[in-house]
Structure formats: structure tokens, C-alpha cells
Amino acid sequence: MATKKPSARAAAAEPAIPAFTADEDLAAYREMLLIRRFEEKAGQMYGMGLIGGFCHLYIGQEAVVVGMQMAMKDGDQVITGYRDHGHMLSTGMDAKGVMAELTGRRGGLSKGKGGSMHMFSIEKQFFGGHGIVGAQVSLGTGLGFANRYRENGAVSVTYFGDGAANQGQVYESFNMAELWKLPVVYVIENNKYAMGTAVTRASAQTDFSKRGTSFNIPGEQVDGMDVRAVKAAGARALAFAREGNGPYILEMQTYRYRGHSMSDPAKYRSKEEVQKMRTEHDPIEQVRVRLLESHKVTEDKLKAIDAEIRDIVNAAADFASHEPEPDPAELYTDVLR
């Protein structure tokens, strides 16, 4: 039975953030740390010339994908743009396969032919990182249509950024999704700078949770640096969409510590601003403090987790450095005629 639809303007009262158990905080800590360490290693390998082309790191935004994944159910799909390594890892895609794809090797998840921005996994319900800004929003809406048509109970979780939120196809998708009550949760990862321009200079409406107002799509702003807030908001949005009420918008207010890509020196913001975010709002450090102070987890246990994660990432880097390149014949496979 459909629930009563909330206002598209979003509720004025901010919902309370449920506390995590020790197991939930440990799981979130491990998953976010895997993304952080993986991205740090990818940055190093890019600097060494082992990764070519574009490389967009997710450092600072880890709580968004980890919190959403904790709220999702088996069968729910994920689709995103080109800052996609964290999304892949959070869905359970193998770190070796992801890293080998970044280096263009045969063992990569797209056989070394897609690189950083184009990976895919039917098994993990990951429908790609996409290089065309905003293109994934139309595709994610299509996934929602397929879910409704098949009546499979799944929800399409469609990620895009504050820059992509100004694309016309986004609003065409919003209109269709609401008109047909499609099960889609649109997650706007607002890292405040798009490709390098502050949202205040590029967007007339900087409250992205209201971007669906004219289509009667409800939305809410979420502290995207707090994995608990993300999970709680994700659970609400997913339940709303799954129960037949149509799409929902979550504006995740987050922050990337690096530039738009590895080639971006990010001179459009101060070092002090970045340091303040790292010091006061880092998503991993927040969980680490809770583990130590509230859950009484020992430093030794956290060090052991860090060592385990570093071993996984180092093994992935080694695999991605020594795996052979694709056979030239692969140029002619997976091509539609």
C-alpha cells in the first residue's frame, strides 16, 4: 500500500540520526577506509604513469556510497558518473578488477577497455560510470522503468553531481519518473565545486533537494559526511520509492579533498578550507572516534583493519601493474553492429 506523499519542499524538521551499533560502525569504517586507501593508491599510480587518461578520485565523499549501500536491498541497482571507483567498491566489485581496469589490463572488470570512467557489473547490479555529464540520469530513470515494468521490487539509485544537476536531460528524466511513478532515488552528490566552479556562481537554486519541486518530487538535504545520516535518509527514500510513490531526491552535502580530476590543481579554493573540512568533518575520522570512545574498540583493532585494507589495496596495485594488456583482437569484441 502506498504511503502518504511528503511535500516536495521536504520536511522542515530535520529527522534524528539513529545511532550505529558497534558492528555497523566497524562495517562502515572498513568500507570507507577501503575506498580511501584505494583512491590514495590510484593517485600514486597515476603520478607514476601507470594510469592514463582521466582519473577522478572520491576522497572525502566515502560516506555517501557506503551509507546508501547499507540502506539498499539485493536487486537494487547503482548507476553513476565518472567519479565512480568508490561506487564500484561499495557494491562489492573486486579491488583487483577495478584497479586493473584503471591501468588498462586484461584482468580489469571491463577487460581493460573502459578505464577509470567506464566499468560495469551485472552481478553487482552496477550499471556503469558514465563519462557524459548527466547521461546516467536518463539511464538510471530507464532502470526504474524496467523495475516498474517487471514488478521486481527493485529501486534504481542514480548518482550525479551538483554540476550535472543543471543538465536539461535531468529534468526530462524527473518529469517522466514522477509521471510514471518510477522507483528511482536520485542522489545528488553536492561536493560544492562541480568541475571547478562554486555552486553559488553556477546555480540559481543552490538547495538541490528542491530541484524536483516543479515535478512534485520530494527531496531532502543530508549531511553526506556522516554515514549514519546517509543510511537513515537512504532508507527513507528507498522505502518511499519501493512502495510505489515514485522518485525521491537526496542532496548529499559532501566535499572532495582533491581536484575535479588528477590534472586539476584546485586553485579555486583555499588550503585552509580543505583542511577545515578534513579536520572537522572527515567521514572516516568521525566513525573512528565513535569506535574508540563510544564502542570501546581498541587502537590495535583499528590498526589491524588498516593493515588488512592496505594489503588488499597493495595486492590490487601489484595485480594491476603486472597483468598483461588486452589482446589487440579485443578491439573488435563487445561492439554492436
Side-chain angles (χ1 to χ4, degrees):
M1 182 176 178
T3 59
K4 185 178 179 181
K5 185 160 186 169
S7 165
R9 301 280 295 184
E14 198 163 309
I17 300 173
F20 269 14
T21 64
D23 286 344
E24 286 176 316
D25 264 331
L26 279 168
Y29 181 77
R30 189 184 185 284
E31 291 302 308
M32 290 194 290
L33 196 61
L34 173 62
I35 296 170
R36 177 72 58 91
R37 297 290 180 250
F38 183 96
E39 294 291 65
E40 289 170 347
K41 179 62 74 174
Q44 292 173 9
M45 294 176 73
Y46 186 93
M48 295 165 63
L50 294 171
I51 297 174
F54 294 99
C55 185
H56 305 81
L57 302 183
Y58 202 66
I59 296 174
Q61 299 183 212
E62 297 90 350
V64 176
V65 291
V66 171
M68 284 301 299
Q69 205 67 33
M70 292 175 81
M72 291 165 63
K73 294 183 178 180
D74 288 344
D76 291 344
Q77 305 112 335
V78 170
I79 189 168
T80 188
Y82 41 77
R83 195 180 308 280
D84 54 3
H85 314 155
H87 302 71
M88 299 173 203
L89 294 171
S90 72
T91 62
M93 292 168 72
D94 179 54
K96 288 183 178 179
V98 177
M99 193 69 86
E101 190 60 41
L102 267 62
T103 58
R105 303 304 175 102
R106 190 177 301 175
L109 287 165
S110 292
K111 303 178 183 178
K113 299 190 290 183
S116 171
M117 299 196 294
H118 302 99
M119 279 179 251
F120 198 90
S121 174
I122 288 289
E123 177 194 359
K124 301 299 182 182
Q125 294 293 294
F126 180 77
F127 286 81
H130 294 268
I132 304 300
V133 176
Q136 74 274 20
V137 181
S138 300
L139 297 172
T141 304
L143 291 171
F145 180 82
N147 294 336
R148 180 178 180 275
Y149 183 81
R150 293 168 178 158
E151 298 181 343
N152 59 14
V155 178
S156 166
V157 179
T158 300
Y159 293 88
F160 57 104
D162 49 288
N166 292 323
Q167 290 282 322
Q169 61 191 310
V170 170
Y171 299 95
E172 293 175 285
S173 299
F174 283 177
N175 186 57
M176 294 171 70
E178 174 59 21
L179 188 65
W180 294 338
K181 301 298 182 188
L182 303 183
V184 184
V185 173
Y186 295 108
V187 181
I188 303 177
E189 298 191 79
N190 179 10
N191 61 33
K192 301 177 175 61
Y193 286 98
M195 284 187 67
T197 303
V199 293
T200 52
R201 296 181 57 210
S203 297
Q205 172 57 275
T206 57
D207 182 343
F208 292 90
S209 70
K210 296 178 181 176
R211 290 302 183 97
T213 299
S214 62
F215 305 101
N216 296 318
I217 301 175
E220 60 181 286
Q221 291 182 318
V222 184
D223 180 357
M225 305 299 276
D226 186 335
V227 68
R228 301 168 305 173
V230 173
K231 183 191 175 187
R236 289 191 296 272
L238 286 160
F240 180 86
R242 206 181 308 278
E243 290 164 4
N245 298 295
Y248 201 99
I249 294 172
L250 294 175
E251 180 198 343
M252 298 294 179
Q253 297 180 320
T254 185
Y255 196 86
R256 56 174 165 78
Y257 297 162
R258 302 290 184 92
H260 172 69
S261 69
M262 284 297 296
S263 60
D264 173 19
K267 293 182 178 179
Y268 40 82
R269 56 186 183 175
S270 68
K271 292 180 180 179
E272 291 76 19
E273 177 185 306
V274 178
Q275 187 57 42
K276 181 178 174 65
M277 291 297 295
R278 278 184 176 273
T279 304
E280 299 179 9
H281 301 284
D282 185 78
I284 299 175
E285 185 60 23
Q286 289 183 54
V287 179
R288 183 178 180 276
V289 170
R290 287 201 301 273
L291 286 169
L292 291 171
E293 297 181 358
S294 300
H295 302 305
K296 307 305 179 186
V297 174
T298 65
E299 282 276 9
D300 285 344
K301 182 165 185 175
L302 296 186
K303 287 178 181 178
I305 293 172
D306 195 13
E308 177 197 354
I309 295 299
R310 288 182 186 276
D311 286 345
I312 291 170
V313 171
N314 287 335
D318 185 65
F319 177 78
S321 301
H322 296 95
E323 181 75 356
E325 293 183 350
D327 188 278
E330 279 290 341
L331 284 170
Y332 305 100
T333 63
D334 306 313
V335 178
L336 294 177
R337 296 178 181 175

PDB file of all heavy atoms in Angstrom, residues 59-76:
ATOM      1  N   ILE A  59      38.007  10.778  -2.738  1.00  0.00           N
ATOM      2  CA  ILE A  59      38.487  11.007  -1.378  1.00  0.00           C
ATOM      3  C   ILE A  59      37.698  12.139  -0.713  1.00  0.00           C
ATOM      4  O   ILE A  59      37.649  13.264  -1.213  1.00  0.00           O
ATOM      5  CB  ILE A  59      39.993  11.327  -1.382  1.00  0.00           C
ATOM      6  CG1 ILE A  59      40.771  10.110  -1.902  1.00  0.00           C
ATOM      7  CG2 ILE A  59      40.474  11.711   0.017  1.00  0.00           C
ATOM      8  CD1 ILE A  59      42.251  10.358  -2.092  1.00  0.00           C
ATOM      9  N   GLY A  60      37.077  11.836   0.421  1.00  0.00           N
ATOM     10  CA  GLY A  60      36.250  12.791   1.153  1.00  0.00           C
ATOM     11  C   GLY A  60      34.769  12.485   1.067  1.00  0.00           C
ATOM     12  O   GLY A  60      33.989  12.870   1.938  1.00  0.00           O
ATOM     13  N   GLN A  61      34.352  11.784   0.018  1.00  0.00           N
ATOM     14  CA  GLN A  61      32.926  11.538  -0.226  1.00  0.00           C
ATOM     15  C   GLN A  61      32.491  10.121   0.144  1.00  0.00           C
ATOM     16  O   GLN A  61      31.374   9.703  -0.160  1.00  0.00           O
ATOM     17  CB  GLN A  61      32.601  11.812  -1.699  1.00  0.00           C
ATOM     18  CG  GLN A  61      32.870  13.246  -2.122  1.00  0.00           C
ATOM     19  CD  GLN A  61      32.477  13.542  -3.564  1.00  0.00           C
ATOM     20  OE1 GLN A  61      33.104  14.357  -4.225  1.00  0.00           O
ATOM     21  NE2 GLN A  61      31.449  12.901  -4.076  1.00  0.00           N
ATOM     22  N   GLU A  62      33.347   9.385   0.835  1.00  0.00           N
ATOM     23  CA  GLU A  62      33.117   7.956   1.047  1.00  0.00           C
ATOM     24  C   GLU A  62      31.813   7.621   1.772  1.00  0.00           C
ATOM     25  O   GLU A  62      31.204   6.580   1.528  1.00  0.00           O
ATOM     26  CB  GLU A  62      34.287   7.350   1.840  1.00  0.00           C
ATOM     27  CG  GLU A  62      35.625   7.415   1.148  1.00  0.00           C
ATOM     28  CD  GLU A  62      36.426   8.675   1.449  1.00  0.00           C
ATOM     29  OE1 GLU A  62      35.858   9.616   2.071  1.00  0.00           O
ATOM     30  OE2 GLU A  62      37.611   8.729   1.074  1.00  0.00           O
ATOM     31  N   ALA A  63      31.375   8.493   2.665  1.00  0.00           N
ATOM     32  CA  ALA A  63      30.175   8.185   3.460  1.00  0.00           C
ATOM     33  C   ALA A  63      28.922   8.090   2.599  1.00  0.00           C
ATOM     34  O   ALA A  63      27.967   7.396   2.968  1.00  0.00           O
ATOM     35  CB  ALA A  63      29.972   9.243   4.549  1.00  0.00           C
ATOM     36  N   VAL A  64      28.913   8.771   1.461  1.00  0.00           N
ATOM     37  CA  VAL A  64      27.711   8.779   0.621  1.00  0.00           C
ATOM     38  C   VAL A  64      27.419   7.371   0.091  1.00  0.00           C
ATOM     39  O   VAL A  64      26.330   6.822   0.301  1.00  0.00           O
ATOM     40  CB  VAL A  64      27.846   9.784  -0.538  1.00  0.00           C
ATOM     41  CG1 VAL A  64      26.619   9.711  -1.449  1.00  0.00           C
ATOM     42  CG2 VAL A  64      28.010  11.202  -0.004  1.00  0.00           C
ATOM     43  N   VAL A  65      28.381   6.774  -0.605  1.00  0.00           N
ATOM     44  CA  VAL A  65      28.106   5.463  -1.202  1.00  0.00           C
ATOM     45  C   VAL A  65      28.007   4.369  -0.145  1.00  0.00           C
ATOM     46  O   VAL A  65      27.201   3.438  -0.274  1.00  0.00           O
ATOM     47  CB  VAL A  65      29.154   5.079  -2.266  1.00  0.00           C
ATOM     48  CG1 VAL A  65      29.032   5.964  -3.479  1.00  0.00           C
ATOM     49  CG2 VAL A  65      30.557   5.097  -1.715  1.00  0.00           C
ATOM     50  N   VAL A  66      28.809   4.466   0.900  1.00  0.00           N
ATOM     51  CA  VAL A  66      28.777   3.425   1.927  1.00  0.00           C
ATOM     52  C   VAL A  66      27.454   3.466   2.686  1.00  0.00           C
ATOM     53  O   VAL A  66      26.819   2.426   2.930  1.00  0.00           O
ATOM     54  CB  VAL A  66      29.984   3.548   2.880  1.00  0.00           C
ATOM     55  CG1 VAL A  66      29.832   2.612   4.072  1.00  0.00           C
ATOM     56  CG2 VAL A  66      31.275   3.257   2.132  1.00  0.00           C
ATOM     57  N   GLY A  67      26.996   4.651   3.051  1.00  0.00           N
ATOM     58  CA  GLY A  67      25.722   4.776   3.752  1.00  0.00           C
ATOM     59  C   GLY A  67      24.553   4.320   2.900  1.00  0.00           C
ATOM     60  O   GLY A  67      23.648   3.617   3.380  1.00  0.00           O
ATOM     61  N   MET A  68      24.554   4.699   1.623  1.00  0.00           N
ATOM     62  CA  MET A  68      23.471   4.274   0.733  1.00  0.00           C
ATOM     63  C   MET A  68      23.480   2.760   0.552  1.00  0.00           C
ATOM     64  O   MET A  68      22.416   2.124   0.569  1.00  0.00           O
ATOM     65  CB  MET A  68      23.601   4.960  -0.629  1.00  0.00           C
ATOM     66  CG  MET A  68      23.182   6.417  -0.649  1.00  0.00           C
ATOM     67  SD  MET A  68      21.456   6.708  -0.146  1.00  0.00           S
ATOM     68  CE  MET A  68      20.555   5.775  -1.395  1.00  0.00           C
ATOM     69  N   GLN A  69      24.659   2.184   0.392  1.00  0.00           N
ATOM     70  CA  GLN A  69      24.743   0.742   0.199  1.00  0.00           C
ATOM     71  C   GLN A  69      24.231  -0.001   1.425  1.00  0.00           C
ATOM     72  O   GLN A  69      23.608  -1.063   1.300  1.00  0.00           O
ATOM     73  CB  GLN A  69      26.184   0.346  -0.108  1.00  0.00           C
ATOM     74  CG  GLN A  69      26.320  -0.946  -0.889  1.00  0.00           C
ATOM     75  CD  GLN A  69      25.779  -0.865  -2.313  1.00  0.00           C
ATOM     76  OE1 GLN A  69      25.852   0.185  -2.950  1.00  0.00           O
ATOM     77  NE2 GLN A  69      25.225  -1.952  -2.798  1.00  0.00           N
ATOM     78  N   MET A  70      24.458   0.561   2.611  1.00  0.00           N
ATOM     79  CA  MET A  70      23.968  -0.065   3.837  1.00  0.00           C
ATOM     80  C   MET A  70      22.438  -0.055   3.907  1.00  0.00           C
ATOM     81  O   MET A  70      21.833  -0.893   4.583  1.00  0.00           O
ATOM     82  CB  MET A  70      24.547   0.656   5.061  1.00  0.00           C
ATOM     83  CG  MET A  70      26.042   0.465   5.239  1.00  0.00           C
ATOM     84  SD  MET A  70      26.729   1.438   6.618  1.00  0.00           S
ATOM     85  CE  MET A  70      26.301   0.374   8.009  1.00  0.00           C
ATOM     86  N   ALA A  71      21.818   0.887   3.191  1.00  0.00           N
ATOM     87  CA  ALA A  71      20.358   1.003   3.212  1.00  0.00           C
ATOM     88  C   ALA A  71      19.688   0.214   2.089  1.00  0.00           C
ATOM     89  O   ALA A  71      18.479  -0.051   2.150  1.00  0.00           O
ATOM     90  CB  ALA A  71      19.957   2.474   3.114  1.00  0.00           C
ATOM     91  N   MET A  72      20.445  -0.163   1.079  1.00  0.00           N
ATOM     92  CA  MET A  72      19.880  -0.821  -0.094  1.00  0.00           C
ATOM     93  C   MET A  72      19.611  -2.301   0.150  1.00  0.00           C
ATOM     94  O   MET A  72      20.119  -2.897   1.091  1.00  0.00           O
ATOM     95  CB  MET A  72      20.817  -0.637  -1.294  1.00  0.00           C
ATOM     96  CG  MET A  72      20.881   0.798  -1.784  1.00  0.00           C
ATOM     97  SD  MET A  72      22.280   1.109  -2.898  1.00  0.00           S
ATOM     98  CE  MET A  72      21.890   0.019  -4.267  1.00  0.00           C
ATOM     99  N   LYS A  73      18.799  -2.887  -0.732  1.00  0.00           N
ATOM    100  CA  LYS A  73      18.490  -4.305  -0.690  1.00  0.00           C
ATOM    101  C   LYS A  73      19.071  -4.997  -1.919  1.00  0.00           C
ATOM    102  O   LYS A  73      19.363  -4.356  -2.935  1.00  0.00           O
ATOM    103  CB  LYS A  73      16.968  -4.527  -0.655  1.00  0.00           C
ATOM    104  CG  LYS A  73      16.296  -4.036   0.619  1.00  0.00           C
ATOM    105  CD  LYS A  73      14.808  -4.363   0.604  1.00  0.00           C
ATOM    106  CE  LYS A  73      14.134  -3.915   1.901  1.00  0.00           C
ATOM    107  NZ  LYS A  73      12.674  -4.233   1.897  1.00  0.00           N
ATOM    108  N   ASP A  74      19.213  -6.313  -1.839  1.00  0.00           N
ATOM    109  CA  ASP A  74      19.668  -7.076  -3.002  1.00  0.00           C
ATOM    110  C   ASP A  74      18.726  -6.823  -4.176  1.00  0.00           C
ATOM    111  O   ASP A  74      17.496  -6.855  -4.011  1.00  0.00           O
ATOM    112  CB  ASP A  74      19.693  -8.576  -2.680  1.00  0.00           C
ATOM    113  CG  ASP A  74      20.820  -8.945  -1.733  1.00  0.00           C
ATOM    114  OD1 ASP A  74      21.745  -8.126  -1.562  1.00  0.00           O
ATOM    115  OD2 ASP A  74      20.762 -10.057  -1.157  1.00  0.00           O
ATOM    116  N   GLY A  75      19.298  -6.581  -5.339  1.00  0.00           N
ATOM    117  CA  GLY A  75      18.498  -6.313  -6.529  1.00  0.00           C
ATOM    118  C   GLY A  75      18.421  -4.848  -6.884  1.00  0.00           C
ATOM    119  O   GLY A  75      18.151  -4.494  -8.036  1.00  0.00           O
ATOM    120  N   ASP A  76      18.626  -3.959  -5.893  1.00  0.00           N
ATOM    121  CA  ASP A  76      18.661  -2.528  -6.194  1.00  0.00           C
ATOM    122  C   ASP A  76      19.874  -2.228  -7.075  1.00  0.00           C
ATOM    123  O   ASP A  76      20.940  -2.820  -6.903  1.00  0.00           O
ATOM    124  CB  ASP A  76      18.746  -1.705  -4.907  1.00  0.00           C
ATOM    125  CG  ASP A  76      17.471  -1.767  -4.084  1.00  0.00           C
ATOM    126  OD1 ASP A  76      16.431  -2.177  -4.625  1.00  0.00           O
ATOM    127  OD2 ASP A  76      17.526  -1.410  -2.889  1.00  0.00           O
TER     128      ASP A  76
END
